[in-house]
Amino acid sequence: MWAAGNVSDVLAAVPQSAGAGNTAGGAINMDLILEDARRATEAREAASATPFDGTMEAEVSRRVLGTRAHGLEGPA
């Protein structure tokens, strides 16, 4: 749970409350980013393919190079 501004400090004036809200917003955003990264890492680890297996490398090469093999133009 996050609290900011007059909820966390009843004596805070408007600028202090706004600053506290900005700080809380940044902290909440960081928590959400870290949670997304954690979930993405878990999903990647659960996947059967590793980032550097031959199948993945071939697919990336096909998508990036298209008909060019080793950077050379291939048959049209």
Side-chain angles (χ1 to χ4, degrees):
M1 174 180 276
W2 293 91
N6 288 27
V7 174
S8 61
D9 181 3
V10 295
L11 299 177
V14 172
Q16 290 87 3
S17 296
N22 190 28
T23 300
I28 292 166
N29 187 50
M30 179 57 79
D31 280 353
L32 293 172
I33 289 170
L34 291 174
E35 179 64 17
D36 284 349
R38 183 190 64 76
R39 287 182 182 185
T41 301
E42 287 176 356
R44 183 65 185 165
E45 289 172 352
S48 61
T50 64
F52 301 109
D53 71 354
T55 304
M56 181 62 72
E57 180 66 23
E59 179 62 19
V60 169
S61 295
R62 185 190 66 75
R63 289 182 185 192
V64 172
L65 296 176
T67 61
R68 296 176 295 155
H70 306 289
L72 303 173
E73 291 299 323

